[in-house]
């Protein structure tokens, strides 16, 4: 670790400028960032006199001219300035002077909820040359993997991680692209599709539109895949588990050039065993972009088997929605529980379960979605992603073209 941020805000966070002075005296070679609500020139001059090497400038609490003036003053004093952006108005302010060091916070300052995809999505708005720092929400190695594979240059971690030496070790390993539980360098830090690099960045770039993201699952043939993509599918799901919708690995080879995110749906954990080697191989070769775990996996086990991934949870009661909190993946897919099968049953998620899940995370919803109900579900619950499979079939593993077309028309409210 070569840089440390010191929280100096006294009224709400219990910090002190004396802490910054003490850190700098104890470690003079360490670059120290003053983290506070800095509002004027005197705040910056005081930061410099206290020994700060850098300051945090929060765009949302400063006017455009003041932000630009303070940024220039920081550089005049020989300090770096990390400009933190949150909203579209912040980007307009910063665009005036194109700060070379930008921070994006995963924590919503109004609600204090953390969304790990928020910085990934917001960074796409930066249209000048810069280095980006991911702020808040990073507690573990797989969080750091999300950061580095989404193209960020650094991460600002907080007190919870600092108090846990193992967490810091894991975060540093993740920033080097190392997968949990594996030796060696692991993933390269940026670019390309091999090993699923950039999956969450591509997902985030698609969010926030007029309709939810659409994942069409249970794809078994090229015709259905091409039609789904032509109609607007954002993701395709390929089942690699005991199912009438099981995909042939050769199909992924055949669809290698089809421009869509491809997800392998697996059922592992417990007696089901580990991730199939064929799926691991496809992920490493870039034939699939991510893995959807849909079995009896435990938190922490998924990232050791595949990255990137997300977890599907089969929930039967609203109180079970709290299980979502145990998972470090940015999104959790909510499906209905049916003891006879892990998915593809056409069973709807109960209303109270959907409500409870939506209160905890941006909603990714599966279970019984079809061309007849998708408009109502999307308009009421505003999910970020919907996942449809058996409800669009003419037979198991075969999509009905008319139902598929109607599904997307209804999703677009046409």
């Amino acid at each position: 670790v070569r840089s440390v941020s010191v929280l100096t805000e006294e009224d709400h966070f219990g910090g002190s400028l004396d802490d910054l002075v003490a850190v700098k005296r104890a470690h003079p070679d360490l670059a120290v960032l003053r983290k506070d609500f800095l509002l004027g020139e005197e705040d910056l001059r005081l930061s410099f006199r206290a020994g700060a090497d850098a300051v945090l400038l929060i765009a949302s609490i400063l006017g455009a001219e003041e932000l630009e003036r303070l940024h220039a003053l920081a550089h005049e004093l020989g300090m770096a300035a990390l400009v933190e952006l949150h909203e579209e108005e912040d980007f307009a302010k910063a665009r005036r002077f194109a700060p070379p060091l930008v921070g994006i916070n995963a924590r919503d300052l109004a609600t204090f909820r953390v969304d790990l995809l928020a910085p990934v999505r917001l960074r796409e708005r930066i249209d000048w040359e810069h280095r980006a720092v991911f702020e808040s929400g990073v507690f573990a190695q797989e969080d750091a993997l999300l950061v580095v594979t989404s193209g960020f240059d650094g991460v600002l971690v907080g007190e919870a991680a600092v108090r846990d030496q193992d967490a810091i070790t894991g975060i540093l390993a993740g920033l080097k692209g190392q997968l949990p539980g594996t030796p060696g360098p692991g993933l390269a830090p940026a670019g390309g599709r091999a090993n699923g690099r950039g999956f969450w960045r591509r997902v985030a770039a698609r969010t926030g539109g007029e309709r939810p993201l659409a994942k069409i699952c249970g794809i078994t043939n090229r015709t259905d895949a091409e039609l789904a993509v032509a109609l607007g599918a954002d993701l395709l799901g390929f089942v690699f588990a005991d199912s009438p919708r099981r995909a042939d690995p050769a199909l992924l080879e055949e669809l290698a050039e089809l421009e869509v995110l491809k997800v392998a749906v697996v059922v592992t954990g417990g007696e089901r065993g580990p991730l199939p080697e064929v799926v691991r191989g496809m992920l490493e070769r870039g034939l699939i972009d991510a893995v959807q775990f849909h079995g009896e996996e435990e938190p922490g086990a998924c990232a050791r088997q595949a990255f990137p991934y997300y977890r599907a949870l089969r929930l039967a009661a609203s109180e079970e929605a709290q299980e979502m909190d145990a998972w470090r993946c940015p999104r959790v897919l909510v499906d209905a529980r049916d003891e006879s099968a892990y998915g593809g049953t056409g069973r709807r998620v109960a209303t109270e379960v959907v409500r409870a899940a939506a209160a905890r995370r941006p909603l990714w919803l599966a279970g019984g979605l079809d061309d007849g109900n998708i408009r109502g579900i999307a308009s009421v619950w505003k999910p970020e992603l919907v996942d449809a499979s058996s409800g669009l079939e003419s037979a198991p593993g075969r999509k009905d073209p008319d139902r598929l077309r109607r599904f997307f028309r209804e999703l677009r409210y046409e």
Side-chain angles (χ1 to χ4, degrees), residues 119-378:
V120 181
R121 178 176 61 253
L122 291 172
R123 191 190 174 185
E124 299 300 318
R125 302 183 188 179
I126 304 176
D127 53 8
W128 61 87
E129 187 174 348
H130 68 284
R131 299 183 69 194
V133 176
F134 191 108
E135 301 179 35
S136 299
V138 176
F139 299 101
Q141 188 167 348
E142 63 181 273
D143 299 333
L145 278 169
L146 167 68
V147 169
V148 75
T149 57
S150 297
F152 281 80
D153 302 288
V155 58
L156 185 62
V157 300
E159 179 182 4
V162 171
R163 290 179 179 274
D164 184 350
Q165 184 62 50
D166 290 338
I168 292 295
T169 300
I171 289 169
L172 291 175
L175 290 175
K176 296 176 182 177
Q178 185 175 331
L179 293 165
T182 61
L187 304 179
R193 289 182 63 177
N195 286 332
R197 290 190 294 270
F199 172 76
W200 289 116
R201 188 174 189 172
R202 295 171 70 194
V203 168
R206 287 166 163 78
T207 62
E210 295 182 357
R211 67 162 176 85
L213 302 184
K215 172 173 172 274
I216 304 301
C217 201
I219 296 292
T220 64
N221 59 86
R222 185 183 187 95
T223 299
D224 290 348
E226 290 181 338
L227 178 58
V229 172
L231 292 171
D234 301 284
L235 301 89
L236 297 182
F238 301 85
V239 178
F240 292 93
D242 294 336
S243 168
R245 301 171 186 87
R246 187 180 183 92
D248 186 337
L251 177 63
L252 276 299
E253 297 271 7
E254 188 179 344
L255 299 177
E257 301 305 317
L258 189 63
E259 280 300 316
V260 66
L261 289 169
K262 305 178 184 78
V263 177
V265 180
V266 301
V267 177
T268 68
E271 296 180 356
R272 301 273 172 171
L275 185 73
E277 284 300 320
V278 65
V279 173
R280 191 187 310 277
M282 288 188 293
L283 183 61
E284 291 174 353
R285 295 173 57 199
L287 296 176
I288 59 171
D289 298 288
V291 172
Q292 174 184 313
F293 286 99
H294 214 301
E296 304 299 329
E297 302 86 5
E298 295 293 330
C302 295
R304 291 196 296 269
Q305 298 187 78
F307 186 89
Y309 79 94
Y310 60 89
R311 183 67 159 86
L313 289 180
R314 300 177 300 134
L315 305 179
S318 57
E319 57 268 21
E320 294 177 357
Q322 64 184 350
E323 296 177 20
M324 300 169 69
D325 298 343
W327 298 88
R328 295 304 309 164
C329 47
R331 296 293 185 265
V332 172
L333 178 66
V334 177
D335 201 351
R337 180 182 299 166
D338 188 319
E339 301 303 333
S340 65
Y342 281 93
T345 64
R347 185 171 178 175
R348 291 273 300 275
V349 181
T351 298
E352 62 271 17
V353 175
V354 177
R355 182 180 295 110
R360 307 192 85 89
R361 293 198 185 195
L363 183 62
W364 282 26
L365 184 62
L369 306 183
D370 58 37
D371 53 312
N373 61 30
I374 190 60
R375 181 186 290 237
I377 290 171

Side-chain angles (χ1 to χ4, degrees), residues 214-219 221 224 227-228 231 233 235-236 245 344-346 367-374 386-411:
K215 172 173 172 274
I216 304 301
C217 201
I219 296 292
N221 59 86
D224 290 348
L227 178 58
L231 292 171
L235 301 89
L236 297 182
R245 301 171 186 87
T345 64
L369 306 183
D370 58 37
D371 53 312
N373 61 30
I374 190 60
V386 291
D387 185 330
S389 181
S390 61
L392 302 178
E393 290 179 334
S394 57
R398 293 286 174 178
K399 301 304 181 207
D400 183 318
D402 292 334
R403 299 195 74 177
L404 201 57
R405 292 187 181 94
R406 192 179 305 115
F407 178 85
F408 279 97
R409 287 200 301 269
E410 293 293 300
L411 198 59

